[in-house]
Amino acid sequence: NPKNLALVDSWPSIFSGLEIIANHVTFSHRDAGGSPSLFDLLVSLGRNHHATLALADLHAELDYSPGAMVYIAGQVLEHSVGPWINGEQVVIAHFMKDAVHDRVGVPRPSF
């Protein structure tokens, strides 16, 4: 569809969506709507906080202080961000959804 192609050509990111999460505990979950071959980019911002990103399937906790950037397969790995100590926490989650790829005729990447 030429109209969809024009939209795809003008979209400024490889990700089909962005979400800003401010001062919010994120309970353990897997992301719906994506594909196992798609990675999400999580960027931790804010001031003077110490947070951790827990990856339950890997039994791992990652430092999620301001400036941390993490790529994860959000549909595959169960993940959460618990309470943090002090300050303000802001996360920008960059993600891709299969429905958007289907709508604009872009095939999903394979492994």
Side-chain angles (χ1 to χ4, degrees), residues 10-42:
S10 65
W11 185 251
S13 174
I14 63 167
F15 297 99
S16 60
L18 301 170
E19 183 174 2
I20 298 173
I21 305 165
N23 295 326
H24 183 74
V25 171
T26 306
F27 296 103
S28 195
H29 68 285
R30 288 185 175 85
D31 298 334
S35 169
S37 63
L38 300 176
F39 284 83
D40 302 327
L41 171 60
L42 307 175

Side-chain angles (χ1 to χ4, degrees), residues 46-102:
R47 294 187 323 192
N48 303 321
H49 72 78
H50 177 75
T52 57
L53 173 66
L55 302 174
D57 299 315
L58 302 177
H59 305 285
E61 287 193 0
L62 306 177
D63 179 25
Y64 208 41
S65 296
M69 298 175 70
V70 181
Y71 278 96
I72 63 166
Q75 188 185 46
V76 175
L77 295 175
E78 186 175 335
H79 54 285
S80 63
V81 177
W84 58 93
I85 301 169
N86 300 325
E88 302 289 325
Q89 184 197 34
V90 177
V91 173
I92 302 176
H94 303 71
F95 53 87
M96 293 181 253
K97 296 289 187 184
D98 266 351
V100 174
H101 285 158
D102 293 344

